[in-house]
Amino acid sequence: MDKRPIFAPQASLTQWQKSLPFKLSLLQLIIASILIFSTAWVILNIQTQQISEQQTLLNQNHGQIIIAKLQEMTSQVENQVNAISQIAMLYRHEPEQLSKSIPVLLSIESQKDIISGGGIWPEPGAFNRQKFRDSLFWAHNIRGELVAIDSYNSDNFPSYHTEEWYRPTRFFPAGKVFWSKSYVDPTTHEPMVTASSAMWVDHQFIGAATTDISLEKLNQLLRNAMLDVSGYVVAIDHQNQILAFPNRDNTRQSQSDTTHHLMSFDALAKVEHAFTPIASALQLADRSFIDQAIAERVFTQEQMDNLTRLSSDNEREMLSAIVNDNAKNHFTTPRRIASIALTMDPVLKAPSLVSVFLMPHTYWKILVVTPVAPLQDTAKKLIEKVGLSLVAIQMLGLISLFILQHRLIMAPIMEMVRALKRNDSASIELKAKERHDEVGLLAKTFLSRTQQLEIAMASLDASNLALEQQLLSQQHVQQELNRHKEQLRSLLDFASTIIYIKDLNGRYTLVNHKYCEVLGIERRKIIGAMDFELFPAPLAQLYQQNDQRVNHRHDALHFEEPIPTPRGEIIYQMTKFDIRDDEDNSIGVGAIGFNMDLKKRQEKAQEKLLEQQQQQMKEQQHQTQLAQQELALMREQIGELNHEITQQIQLNLNKQQSLKLMQHFLAEVINQMMQEQD
């Protein structure tokens, strides 16, 4: 390593205007001036802060009282709507009993003043298979009597299954209540907010029970709560639409508005510019709430897209965040999310303090606005009394501090600087041995750090080399991982078999392209869905039973399952297996399926060909038997012919022997006759 001298020898000392004593003296003078001029401000600020803290605490107490009253009301409403859902699930096939029980629950005296209506809203065919819409709803008329309203079941009326207060309940368990945004009912033309409770039977969503709260009565409730307080309350729903406001009539949009929307707080802030800081604080709080819900997401993005597809663009994120946050159940107590000071409140016509609270379950934002008390003159008088005394004490202390600093710190440091200029390390080492305070420690540290610097440079070079090697290794591993991912993606997309994975709840978490092609359904509609949402009930029940058998086994099981396709049902040979994590806990079910129709067609063709071959063999055997019979007959004929030939040959031999004997006999007779003649 290249070693160079750290200090240039015989360098000139620092100029006086750049020296540390001059800088410290100047700094102390500036600090003294700042302290002198800021003493009055500090005292005034402390007094103002105490008043502000008292005002904030008072405002917070008012907010807690208001929220406690609202929570008491909302808890009663939640208990009521849960009771309605329990009654509906119990008597879902007895409409007469429901028509008697639900109005009784809606007429409870303690909740009668705030509730404008309620009822049950079944899924298509859940209560009566013959009815697509089968709602039972009651609302208070002008005289305060409960009247049954059946217009929601009319085909001319929009389906209640697509309403904003109904759709999110599919993601809520039984006993949990979803509070909708504020709206104007298209039938009763009354501004309200709806509390909805999901109804589940055998893990199947069958509808929702609701209770409607009148915004006019809610506004009156908040006004009564603030009678003893010189201020007012603003209630805002989770979409920042105004639920209650001192001038409630002005929060409605024009009477000709056919969309039945209420004014949002952002729209109010555009009219009353003094509310702009509050609107900004609400936007920041909403953004923080949405980001936290996304970070701890429970439901998939595809499920949330399906839920919010009918909602407006500026409401989708908040609705998804509420559904995910409710599943986590982190938010159970009210909390203050902002505190804003207004220089001039449009309602109170005076400076005011606004505390914003967020309620659990309903996700309402409650704004408590109270006037700020004027600053008293006691703080100014206190400044006049103690100001001069504090200035004198501070000046005396600064002068004493300067003298002590120069003797104890600046002089030894200047000696060390001169030694460093001379490159006299011996003087620095002597100073380190003589002084046992911070100056001596500084000298020792400087000497040791000089030695450690060389060691650290060598270690840094080695560490840098090791880091480069580690980086190359990580890049290689990342490339291998990407290559394996691409191979797995190609294997899934181009496989001729169907492949899918479900979680323990029976929801699809992975499907390949072949499975989507066979079903004729897009991948985004399959992911997150259950078998009962994609297939007929008998097939879905069969698939669920087979999955449950696999969950209790470590080995893979084989099934023949019919798969519905656009061309009809196709039999697949399914191999299902349990998927487990590193701790041997079951986390899902995987499946691989082969098309059995082609195999069955080949088996039928082989059976038909075998039958033809057997028929041909039977015909050949019959022909062989006939040929064998003809051959036996021919053998008999040949045997008879051979026998005749043998007899003929024997006869011919006998004739030849007789001829030979006759010739011999004639020869002898002729010889004798010749002899006799001779």
Side-chain angles (χ1 to χ4, degrees), residues 331-370:
F331 179 36
T332 57
T333 58
R335 60 190 180 195
R336 190 180 65 174
I337 58 176
S339 183
I340 306 102
L342 300 181
T343 55
M344 181 60 64
D345 182 76
V347 178
L348 299 177
K349 306 300 181 181
S352 61
L353 181 66
V354 182
S355 295
V356 184
F357 300 89
L358 183 62
M359 285 182 59
H361 307 303
T362 60
Y363 298 94
W364 292 349
K365 303 177 187 71
I366 308 300
L367 281 64
V368 179
V369 185
T370 55

Side-chain angles (χ1 to χ4, degrees), residues 402-413 435 437-439:
F402 174 77
I403 296 173
L404 291 175
Q405 285 179 348
H406 184 74
R407 269 186 197 179
L408 298 177
I409 300 175
M410 300 310 303
I413 291 179
R435 297 291 296 263
D437 54 5
E438 286 77 4
V439 176

Side-chain angles (χ1 to χ4, degrees), residues 187-426:
T187 300
T188 62
H189 304 289
E190 181 181 5
M192 62 180 59
V193 64
T194 299
S196 306
S197 177
M199 295 185 293
W200 294 85
V201 174
D202 297 332
H203 304 288
Q204 185 175 1
F205 178 76
I206 63 171
T210 62
T211 297
D212 298 330
I213 296 177
S214 171
L215 296 191
E216 298 293 339
K217 297 176 181 178
L218 177 62
N219 193 28
Q220 186 63 37
L221 174 66
L222 293 178
R223 286 181 181 178
N224 295 334
M226 293 294 289
L227 289 177
D228 299 331
V229 181
S230 58
Y232 63 94
V233 175
V234 181
I236 305 173
D237 63 14
H238 61 264
Q239 296 295 354
N240 288 342
Q241 292 187 160
I242 297 176
L243 299 174
F245 192 77
N247 193 2
R248 184 68 178 83
D249 297 335
N250 292 337
T251 61
R252 285 288 304 272
Q253 293 181 352
S254 64
Q255 295 297 327
S256 61
D257 185 9
T258 58
T259 58
H260 301 293
H261 287 173
L262 297 175
M263 178 178 285
S264 66
F265 195 85
D266 291 337
L268 179 62
K270 292 179 181 178
V271 178
E272 298 290 349
H273 298 289
F275 289 141
T276 302
I278 303 177
S280 301
L282 292 177
Q283 292 176 0
L284 292 175
D286 290 345
R287 187 73 262 168
S288 176
F289 178 75
I290 292 171
D291 293 340
Q292 182 179 2
I294 292 175
E296 301 178 358
R297 179 178 294 168
V298 176
F299 300 100
T300 63
Q301 184 62 40
E302 185 174 0
Q303 290 174 308
M304 293 297 96
D305 291 341
N306 187 40
L307 167 65
T308 60
R309 58 187 175 85
L310 299 178
S311 303
S312 58
D313 295 338
N314 58 343
E315 296 179 356
R316 292 179 179 176
E317 287 187 335
M318 179 56 70
L319 183 58
S320 300
I322 288 176
V323 172
N324 281 284
D325 184 78
N326 183 77
K328 285 287 186 180
N329 200 23
H330 288 336
F331 179 36
T332 57
T333 58
R335 60 190 180 195
R336 190 180 65 174
I337 58 176
S339 183
I340 306 102
L342 300 181
T343 55
M344 181 60 64
D345 182 76
V347 178
L348 299 177
K349 306 300 181 181
S352 61
L353 181 66
V354 182
S355 295
V356 184
F357 300 89
L358 183 62
M359 285 182 59
H361 307 303
T362 60
Y363 298 94
W364 292 349
K365 303 177 187 71
I366 308 300
L367 281 64
V368 179
V369 185
T370 55
V372 177
L375 183 63
Q376 299 179 359
D377 295 333
T378 55
K380 295 180 180 179
K381 294 179 180 179
L382 182 62
I383 294 173
E384 295 176 356
K385 291 180 180 179
V386 301
L388 295 176
S389 302
L390 289 176
V391 168
I393 294 172
Q394 290 172 358
M395 290 298 296
L396 182 61
L398 288 174
I399 294 173
S400 302
L401 179 62
F402 174 77
I403 296 173
L404 291 175
Q405 285 179 348
H406 184 74
R407 269 186 197 179
L408 298 177
I409 300 175
M410 300 310 303
I413 291 179
M414 290 301 298
E415 292 179 4
M416 291 180 59
V417 170
R418 294 189 183 92
L420 290 174
K421 289 289 185 179
R422 299 191 305 269
N423 198 15
D424 187 4
S425 58

Side-chain angles (χ1 to χ4, degrees), residues 30-155:
I30 294 173
I31 292 174
S33 301
I34 294 174
L35 290 175
I36 292 171
F37 289 105
S38 63
T39 301
W41 179 84
V42 170
I43 297 174
L44 182 63
N45 186 54
I46 292 174
Q47 186 71 14
T48 305
Q49 185 177 3
Q50 289 178 351
I51 296 176
S52 177
E53 290 177 354
Q54 293 176 359
Q55 186 74 23
T56 302
L57 182 60
L58 181 62
N59 210 23
Q60 186 172 356
N61 292 335
H62 291 328
Q64 291 176 352
I65 294 173
I66 297 299
I67 291 177
K69 293 181 179 180
L70 284 176
Q71 282 188 312
E72 181 181 1
M73 181 271 293
T74 56
S75 297
Q76 292 177 355
V77 173
E78 289 179 355
N79 293 334
Q80 184 188 61
V81 73
N82 285 327
I84 293 175
S85 66
Q86 294 293 330
I87 292 294
M89 287 186 289
L90 182 62
Y91 298 107
R92 62 183 182 278
H93 299 304
E94 301 179 21
E96 295 181 358
Q97 186 67 30
L98 292 176
S99 299
K100 296 178 181 179
S101 302
I102 295 177
V104 174
L105 293 175
L106 293 173
S107 301
I108 297 176
E109 194 65 29
S110 60
Q111 305 168 14
K112 186 176 180 180
D113 294 337
I114 197 71
I115 292 174
S116 63
I120 58 174
W121 311 85
E123 282 281 273
F127 284 26
N128 188 340
R129 296 183 179 178
Q130 305 298 326
K131 292 184 178 181
F132 180 79
R133 303 181 190 179
D134 193 18
S135 67
L136 294 175
F137 179 74
W138 289 265
H140 289 286
N141 59 14
I142 300 176
R143 295 185 299 272
E145 300 172 347
L146 276 176
V147 179
I149 299 177
D150 194 49
S151 59
Y152 299 99
N153 297 325
S154 174
D155 294 336

Side-chain angles (χ1 to χ4, degrees), residues 560-576:
E560 284 192 5
E561 293 181 349
I563 303 296
T565 68
R567 297 176 297 174
E569 290 189 356
I570 298 178
I571 304 301
Y572 272 79
Q573 177 69 36
M574 303 300 298
T575 299
K576 294 190 175 183

Side-chain angles (χ1 to χ4, degrees), residues 614-635:
Q614 289 178 351
Q615 185 66 26
Q616 291 177 358
M617 289 180 63
K618 288 180 180 179
E619 292 178 356
Q620 290 177 359
Q621 289 177 357
H622 181 66
Q623 293 177 359
T624 302
Q625 289 178 358
L626 293 177
Q628 288 178 353
Q629 291 177 359
E630 292 178 357
L631 182 61
L633 182 60
M634 291 177 63
R635 285 179 179 175

